[in-house]
Amino acid sequence: MSSKSVLVTGGLGFIGSHTVVALQKEGYKVVIIDNLSNSSIDVLGGITQITGKTPEFENLDLRDKEAVKNFFEKYPDIEDVIHFAASKAVGESVINPLLYYENNIATLVYLLQELNKKPNARFIFSSSCTVYGQADELPITENAPVKKAESPYGNTKQIGEEILQDTCKTNLHFKAIALRYFNPIGAHPTAEIGELPIGTPQNLIPFITQTAIGKREELSVFGDDYPTEDGTAIRDYIHVMDLAEAHVKALKRLIDAKEKSNYEVFNLGTGKGNSVLEVIKSFEKVSGEKLPYKVVGRREGDIISAYADTTKANEDLGWKADRSLDDALKSAWKWQKVVRKREEEEN
Ligand code: WQD
């Protein structure tokens, strides 16, 4: 176990905070950078409640190149970075592409410029299955072609991976793993941390739980005319705790120098696809709530079906998602009820 700290950027965000918990559980010391643009300082308390350890926290915007440089002067020993900090709303990226290119690309470059000065640095990049677009073959392996992104958000993930590849080519002491997430859902079983969408949720699960709690009128199901069994689109919904644990496995792979090359890519999914209607049915079962929904037209840019071939992650990371869709939806519902209680106490 390295006695040095691991930097987690975006560590107060949804996937970042769950990964911090998983890292601390494995005995890693963690330093979080977060600019709180899409998270709350309360998450730090949630992490501490779960693990009994409060990570060091720097409220810092990675778009400030000088601040990034100063950070690594303050923490000269840090050589392991898990990079979550980025904007991630597909729709917003179409409306405001430059915000996405600055916040998702410039920040990556500033981080890598500092890490490149170190004799050894290890970097884990938060990527997305969105790079595949609608894959020609299912399940999707890491060899599936990367397709022209449907959104600036998706493009920043593709460009981010290319930047990493080029950096690894020119610096063999720099090792990186890109993790292509499928659809992260759920919350920590203690309901101390979870997903905190700001405004109207874009993603399916938070919209479902906010509808069930009465915050939204009804769920709109975006299309039931897809060429699937029940006509609704299929995704690979992975419990955020399974996803978090995969990051620890990836870090261990880099620290133990088990990697086959200094740049590797892994799909992180369950390997199983579920349709929107199947998710609704599962949610109603685990929550005991009837979910009001109506079928509307397809959402622009949505693909028909995506689910992961998890062989490579199973074999090379020694990792497998072992929580079910029911587990994830149950944890999301438990978390939603906690959030609602807090909102009522605040008002
Ligand atoms: C899932 C399914 C919708 C909302 C995106 C990004 C991906 C990642 C996760 C950031 C689709 C349907 C949704 C609703 C619905 N982003 N849906 N009604 O689009 O698969 O993936 O978010 O990390 O990179 O591409 O996720 O949750 O938005 O949609 O019917 O109100 O639910 O059409 O079939 P998506 P999603």
Side-chain angles (χ1 to χ4, degrees):
M1 172 71 63
S2 160
S3 60
K4 297 174 178 143
S5 295
V6 179
L7 167 60
V8 179
T9 74
L12 295 183
F14 174 38
I15 305 168
S17 55
H18 289 81
T19 302
V20 169
V21 164
L23 285 165
Q24 289 186 321
K25 289 271 182 188
E26 286 294 304
Y28 290 96
K29 282 190 302 185
V30 175
V31 177
I32 290 173
I33 284 178
D34 204 300
N35 68 359
L36 300 175
S37 63
N38 191 22
S39 56
S40 156
I41 191 65
D42 296 342
V43 175
L44 206 54
I47 292 169
T48 307
Q49 279 298 319
I50 296 168
T51 64
K53 290 175 271 187
T54 304
E56 288 187 77
F57 170 59
E58 299 284 347
N59 181 349
L60 184 159
D61 192 319
L62 294 173
R63 290 173 294 189
D64 179 344
K65 186 174 181 176
E66 199 55 30
V68 174
K69 184 170 175 294
N70 296 338
F71 173 86
F72 283 101
E73 284 165 3
K74 181 176 177 184
Y75 296 90
D77 287 350
I78 286 183
E79 53 189 18
D80 295 313
V81 179
I82 304 181
H83 181 45
F84 294 102
S87 300
K88 60 159 216 166
V90 174
E92 182 189 44
S93 76
V94 174
I95 299 160
N96 193 346
L98 289 180
L99 169 82
Y100 274 68
Y101 290 115
E102 183 190 37
N103 198 38
N104 294 10
I105 302 298
T107 55
L108 175 62
V109 171
Y110 298 157
L111 277 173
L112 295 179
Q113 284 171 331
E114 293 308 315
L115 291 171
N116 242 2
K117 297 172 187 171
K118 295 174 176 287
N120 293 295
R122 297 171 285 250
F123 194 85
I124 293 172
F125 179 62
S126 167
S127 189
S128 168
C129 64
T130 205
V131 302
Y132 299 116
Q134 177 56 66
D136 302 325
E137 286 179 42
L138 293 169
I140 305 172
T141 72
E142 289 82 356
N143 301 322
V146 169
K147 290 192 176 172
K148 168 125 185 55
E150 304 254 345
S151 69
Y153 160 76
N155 203 25
T156 65
K157 291 303 177 184
Q158 291 180 7
I159 296 168
E161 289 190 7
E162 288 164 9
I163 291 170
L164 273 181
Q165 269 187 292
D166 290 342
T167 306
C168 291
K169 275 184 200 145
T170 54
N171 177 358
L172 295 179
H173 298 291
F174 178 75
K175 303 192 291 187
I177 285 179
L179 298 175
R180 292 173 176 169
Y181 311 152
F182 280 67
N183 286 60
I185 65 168
H188 192 271
T190 61
E192 291 290 348
I193 56 175
E195 196 166 4
L196 280 169
I198 295 172
T200 308
Q202 300 306 305
N203 296 129
L204 179 65
I205 302 322
F207 207 105
I208 285 179
T209 59
Q210 288 192 11
T211 301
I213 204 93
K215 191 167 182 174
R216 307 284 162 200
E217 279 290 298
E218 65 180 0
L219 170 75
S220 296
V221 173
F222 296 145
D224 69 348
D225 58 348
Y226 285 100
T228 62
E229 211 171 299
D230 64 21
T232 61
I234 290 169
R235 297 290 186 275
D236 184 334
Y237 296 97
I238 176 170
H239 196 300
V240 66
M241 281 314 296
D242 278 325
L243 198 62
E245 288 161 8
H247 287 74
V248 181
K249 294 280 190 180
L251 181 63
K252 281 182 177 167
R253 180 175 174 81
L254 289 174
I255 291 173
D256 299 344
K258 291 274 189 294
E259 75 286 345
K260 291 171 187 141
S261 84
N262 68 334
Y263 178 71
E264 294 184 306
V265 176
F266 293 96
N267 286 343
L268 295 184
T270 64
K272 186 177 179 323
N274 284 109
S275 72
V276 176
L277 291 181
E278 284 172 341
V279 170
I280 292 171
K281 196 162 158 228
S282 169
F283 177 78
E284 291 182 329
K285 179 179 70 174
V286 300
S287 67
E289 303 286 334
K290 185 87 185 86
L291 191 83
Y293 70 87
K294 69 174 183 294
V295 178
V296 298
R298 295 182 178 189
R299 177 171 65 178
E300 185 66 31
D302 272 357
I303 58 169
I304 302 163
S305 179
Y307 49 94
D309 179 317
T310 59
T311 310
K312 193 179 174 197
N314 301 157
E315 288 175 359
D316 291 357
L317 293 185
W319 166 89
K320 185 167 171 42
D322 56 18
R323 295 168 178 89
S324 68
L325 177 67
D326 285 359
D327 294 336
L329 293 171
K330 200 169 167 189
S331 67
W333 181 229
K334 183 179 177 186
W335 165 246
Q336 180 64 69
K337 287 186 282 188
V338 165
V339 169
R340 165 47 60 94
K341 193 163 177 294
R342 286 181 189 167
E343 286 169 346
E344 286 165 350
E345 285 162 1
E346 279 160 16
N347 297 334

